[in-house]
């Protein structure tokens, strides 16, 4: 095992993947320097200095994935940032690649981020004004710097960000551990470099063997079986903190460390958020946007900007899971409005140089119609609520159509495989609008669908499901997928979510609230958050909702047994009964618009 781990199995966004570019040309001077933090730790930093007379405003990105790679294949074309007159700094965070220290993810970025911004602002080549950009972990370092107190930081551009909360798509979703994406990150993106830094050859070899054992467990599925999270606490000791966090209670202080869930007031600079409809951190990205927008309306502060494409965490090409959304869907085109780098340059020019803010606050890609739309805010003010009720004969309609129930068996020994959606996994588990045919034929996947639509139906905004369910167990997971069923019978996922019964009274952002068992054989109401989307269901298509008891390896396989803190129970099969009709209003709740602009 080496740092050249099979790239097909690595989450590409975590490798800062993107279109390969030439290194910055004669427009920049390249320096490799060190940034000294308050405790003396030195961080490797690449400075790209424009030719001409400075000083210049600076743009900084910080992450744990080898910052030197940003010169060639980062999310933005750094050569063009330099050519636009910015001093550009690319930095390895503490304990990663060329930087000293011990890596303590997220927590370290508060003080370190503030120090890095202050160091950069004080350079003679800098005007004292700093902006930051970057996706995924490189978005968290931006918020961390603000939390740490960085007066020179005047604007940030976080993309695909989990910075809102650890509980809504980062470590958990609906109370269910995100075991698949956690391992995708710790095992493939973090462990290899940490192993090379081990000084003792014997300890390094021992950790390599643990890595190989985890690799085998991932390949065989053993890493994701029911109970696996608690079975091998010593696996991959060097990144054991990743799985350790999944074992902690939802209200643990560790889940708040480095997050802005309690500190939205600290985000007092202009913010440009970038997301993807199939990104694992879409929920966090949109929740940050909503809270910043609400504060802007209340206080008159800067209005957040938002750009969301038909992208996953590691694919911004506009072609995903066999669906081609058109050349304009790519981050390299954005519908002819300039690529992602050009959008950032305009944003930073306005924020750091008092340039013209010539772009609308919101630009989102409307899937189905396959075009970009510009808005004052998302969702637009003219949306309305549409409720589609689960009914008899697998019908989905605006009014309850008959009463009844459908049953399925939740068997932890045979979980439903993950099939597309907003995932961050490894081959063969693909993100995006994957056809659900492979799993919709299973006995533990039940579906309801509308009649073929006579006219377009555009969903733009929040999506949730309300499921009335009784189970023979003392806990239950409910997975819901909103799908677009095409006239040819294919059914492609648009949005999805999960809710664990024992966590249904726990706030999904803060973790506040008590876990409690599900009462066996008693009907319970499960509210499942599918986050948001912008999607047009075309005439002849059907709106479809699928319900299942699991999605593995994305989410931990539930054991159908309530487990008080510190207790581990053996998994057991359980029968779930979904009830519908006027007295049991199981339904899909959508925000829709009459005619998108």
């Amino acid at each position: 095992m080496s740092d050249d781990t099979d790239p097909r199995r690595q989450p590409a966004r975590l490798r800062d993947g993107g279109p390969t570019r030439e290194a910055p040309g004669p427009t920049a001077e390249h320096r490799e320097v060190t940034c000294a933090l308050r405790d003396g730790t030195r961080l490797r930093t690449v400075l790209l200095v424009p030719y001409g007379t400075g000083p210049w405003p600076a743009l900084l990105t910080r992450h744990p994935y080898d910052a030197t790679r940003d010169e060639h294949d980062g999310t933005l074309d750094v050569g063009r940032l330099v050519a636009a007159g910015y001093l550009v700094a690319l930095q390895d965070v503490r304990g990663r690649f060329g930087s000293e220290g011990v890596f303590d993810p997220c927590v370290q970025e508060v003080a370190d981020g503030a120090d890095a911004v202050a160091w950069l602002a004080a350079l003679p080549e800098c005007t004292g004004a700093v902006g930051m950009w970057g996706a995924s972990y490189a978005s968290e370092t931006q918020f961390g710097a603000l939390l740490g107190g960085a007066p020179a930081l005047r604007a940030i551009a976080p993309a695909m960000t989990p910075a809102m909360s650890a509980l809504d798509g980062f470590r958990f979703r609906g109370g269910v551990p995100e075991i698949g994406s956690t391992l995708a990150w710790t095992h493939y993106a973090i462990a290899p470099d940490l192993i090379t830094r081990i000084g003792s050859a014997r300890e390094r070899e021992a950790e390599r063997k643990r890595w190989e054992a985890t690799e085998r467990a991932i390949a065989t599925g053993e890493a994701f079986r029911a109970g696996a999270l608690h079975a091998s606490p010593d696996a991959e000791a060097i990144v054991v903190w990743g799985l350790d966090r999944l074992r902690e209670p939802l209200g643990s202080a560790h889940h708040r460390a480095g997050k802005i869930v309690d500190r939205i007031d600290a985000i007092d600079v202009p913010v440009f958020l970038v997301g993807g409809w199939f990104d694992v951190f879409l929920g966090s990205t949109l929740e940050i946007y909503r809270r910043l927008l609400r504060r802007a309306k209340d206080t008159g502060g800067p209005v957040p900007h938002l750009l969301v494409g038909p992208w996953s965490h590691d694919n911004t090409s506009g072609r995903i899971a066999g669906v081609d959304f058109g050349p304009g869907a790519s981050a390299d085109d954005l519908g002819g409005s300039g690529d992602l780098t050009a959008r950032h340059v305009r944003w930073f020019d306005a924020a750091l140089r008092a340039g013209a803010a010539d772009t609308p606050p919101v630009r989102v890609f409307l899937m189905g119609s396959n075009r970009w739309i510009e808005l004052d805010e998302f969702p637009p003010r003219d949306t309305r609520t549409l409720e589609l009720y689960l009914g008899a004969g697998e019908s989905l309609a605006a009014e309850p159509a008959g009463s009844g129930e459908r049953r399925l068996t939740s068997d932890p020994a045979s979980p439903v495989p993950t099939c597309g959606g907003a995932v961050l996994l490894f081959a063969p588990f693909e993100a995006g609008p994957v056809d659900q045919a492979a799993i919709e034929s299973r006995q533990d996947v039940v579906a309801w669908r509308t009649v073929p639509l006579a006219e377009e139906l555009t969903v733009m905004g929040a999506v949730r499901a309300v499921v009335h369910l009784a189970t023979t167990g003392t806990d239950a997971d409910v997975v819901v997928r909103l799908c677009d069923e095409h006239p040819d019978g294919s059914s492609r996922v648009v949005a999805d979510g999960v809710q664990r019964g024992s966590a249904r009274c726990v706030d999904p952002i803060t973790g506040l609230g008590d876990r409690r068992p599900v009462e066996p054989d008693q009907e319970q109401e499960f509210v499942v958050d599918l986050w948001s989307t912008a999607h047009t269901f075309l005439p002849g298509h059907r709106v479809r909702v699928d319900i299942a008891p699991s999605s593995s390896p994305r989410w931990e396989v539930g054991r159908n047994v309530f487990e008080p803190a510190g207790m581990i129970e053996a998994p057991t099969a359980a029968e779930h009964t979904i009830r519908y009709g006027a007295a049991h209003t199981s339904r899909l709740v959508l925000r829709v618009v009459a005619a998108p602009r």
Side-chain angles (χ1 to χ4, degrees):
M1 188 277 301
S2 72
D3 284 344
D4 295 322
T5 305
D6 187 348
R8 293 172 299 177
R9 298 190 65 104
Q10 298 184 58
R13 172 64 62 194
L14 300 181
R15 303 191 314 273
D16 271 356
T20 301
R21 307 182 181 98
E22 296 297 324
T27 59
E29 176 187 353
H30 178 284
R31 303 178 195 164
E32 187 165 310
V33 299
T34 58
C35 163
L37 303 177
R38 66 187 71 177
D39 64 357
T41 301
R42 296 178 298 176
L43 306 185
R44 179 178 67 173
T45 309
V46 173
L47 281 181
L48 302 174
V49 185
Y51 282 117
T53 303
W56 302 273
L59 298 179
L60 168 67
T61 192
R62 310 181 62 249
H63 58 71
Y65 309 122
D66 187 358
T68 63
R69 299 177 68 169
D70 284 294
E71 294 186 71
H72 308 283
D73 61 359
T75 57
L76 301 183
D77 186 336
V78 297
R80 287 166 55 198
L81 299 181
V82 177
Y86 288 96
L87 173 67
V88 172
L90 317 173
Q91 188 173 88
D92 292 329
V93 300
R94 178 189 296 259
R96 297 292 291 171
F97 291 91
S99 290
E100 298 175 345
V102 177
F103 182 57
D104 185 7
C106 301
V107 177
Q108 68 183 31
E109 308 311 344
V110 175
D112 289 2
D115 287 357
V117 169
W119 167 83
L120 182 58
L123 293 179
E125 296 87 356
C126 182
T127 62
V130 177
M132 292 183 72
W133 91 92
S136 197
Y137 195 102
S139 74
E140 291 218 74
T141 59
Q142 300 172 55
F143 289 108
L146 286 173
L147 294 180
L153 184 54
R154 310 290 174 78
I156 61 174
M160 315 288 189
T161 179
M164 184 67 223
S165 166
L167 304 179
D168 194 29
F170 180 57
R171 295 189 187 120
F172 295 85
R173 177 93 181 267
V176 184
E178 288 268 1
I179 189 169
S181 57
T182 295
L183 274 176
W185 184 54
T186 60
H187 178 70
Y188 290 114
I190 299 300
D193 175 62
L194 294 187
I195 292 172
T196 66
R197 300 168 72 95
I198 298 174
S200 163
R202 185 179 67 176
E203 293 178 7
R204 188 166 57 248
E205 181 59 25
E207 194 60 35
R208 288 183 189 277
K209 290 181 178 178
R210 292 190 189 99
W211 191 97
E212 291 165 356
T214 299
E215 178 73 358
R216 289 191 296 271
I218 289 173
T220 63
E222 181 66 17
F224 311 108
R225 65 173 176 79
L229 182 57
H230 302 277
S232 302
D234 61 339
E236 280 196 288
I238 202 164
V239 288
V240 70
W241 39 260
L243 296 181
D244 278 348
R245 294 296 178 264
L246 303 186
R247 300 179 183 115
E248 294 192 18
L250 297 175
S252 168
H254 280 121
H255 298 320
R256 295 171 179 266
K259 302 295 181 180
I260 64 172
V261 58
D262 301 316
R263 294 289 312 280
I264 199 72
D265 60 297
I267 315 306
D268 57 355
V269 301
V271 178
F272 173 28
L273 290 155
V274 178
W277 295 127
F278 300 103
D279 175 42
V280 68
F281 302 141
L282 174 66
S284 175
T285 301
L286 293 181
E287 184 63 21
I288 293 172
Y289 168 77
R290 285 189 290 266
R291 295 192 182 201
L292 291 178
L293 179 63
R294 185 163 57 245
R295 195 184 66 180
K297 290 179 177 180
D298 292 342
T299 67
V303 173
H305 282 224
L306 177 69
L307 174 73
V308 186
W311 308 324
S312 69
H313 200 70
D314 57 5
N315 182 346
T316 60
S317 69
R319 297 181 300 277
I320 182 171
V323 176
D324 188 343
F325 289 102
S330 168
D332 292 330
D333 187 297
L334 298 180
S337 69
D339 66 5
L340 197 58
T341 299
R343 298 281 295 198
H344 278 72
V345 168
R346 290 203 297 271
W347 164 255
F348 284 121
D349 282 350
L352 303 180
R353 289 177 162 143
D358 60 350
T359 57
V362 175
R363 184 176 177 87
V364 298
F365 191 86
L366 181 59
M367 300 180 292
S369 296
N370 291 355
R371 59 190 178 90
W372 292 96
I373 57 174
E374 295 181 337
L375 303 166
D376 292 331
E377 62 183 67
F378 181 85
R381 298 184 186 94
D382 59 350
T383 60
R384 62 180 177 86
T385 298
L386 173 64
E387 296 186 323
L388 297 176
Y389 293 87
L390 280 57
E394 302 182 3
S395 68
L396 190 62
E399 298 291 339
S403 298
E405 59 186 35
R406 294 183 69 182
R407 297 182 179 182
L408 59 87
T409 298
S410 171
D411 183 359
S414 180
V416 179
T418 299
C419 189
V423 302
L424 175 61
L425 293 172
F426 27 76
F429 300 100
E430 185 178 13
V434 175
D435 187 355
Q436 300 296 292
I439 62 172
E440 284 178 339
S441 61
R442 290 176 57 110
Q443 296 300 310
D444 51 1
V445 178
V446 292
W448 287 260
R449 57 186 186 161
T450 65
V451 298
L453 298 176
E455 57 186 22
E456 290 185 357
L457 175 66
T458 295
V459 179
M460 199 176 301
V463 180
R464 62 187 175 93
V466 180
V467 180
H468 289 252
L469 180 141
T471 179
T472 58
T474 56
D475 208 346
D477 292 347
V478 176
V479 176
V480 179
R481 284 183 293 275
L482 168 65
C483 299
D484 184 336
E485 185 176 307
H486 293 226
D488 64 4
S490 62
S491 176
R492 295 189 173 272
V493 61
V494 175
D496 54 9
V498 66
Q499 181 62 53
R500 178 158 287 176
S502 58
R504 64 194 183 282
C505 296
V506 178
D507 186 285
I509 304 297
T510 66
L512 299 177
D514 295 328
R515 292 176 60 249
R516 59 188 66 170
V518 172
E519 192 71 27
D521 301 315
Q522 297 296 312
E523 183 177 310
Q524 311 281 333
E525 185 176 88
F526 286 66
V527 179
V528 185
D529 184 2
L530 280 68
W531 289 342
S532 295
T533 193
H535 183 89
T536 296
F537 292 84
L538 298 174
H541 290 224
R542 300 173 187 254
V543 181
R544 176 171 177 146
V545 58
D546 291 351
I547 300 178
S550 52
S551 178
S552 180
R554 179 181 187 178
W555 291 310
E556 179 196 41
V557 177
R559 291 187 278 273
N560 298 317
V561 180
F562 177 69
E563 298 170 317
M567 294 186 63
I568 307 300
E569 301 287 346
T572 182
E575 186 173 81
H576 297 346
T577 301
I578 300 169
R579 294 178 178 145
Y580 54 83
H584 314 277
T585 51
S586 295
R587 61 199 184 276
L588 182 68
V589 184
L590 308 170
R591 297 297 294 178
V592 300
V593 294
R597 294 180 289 277

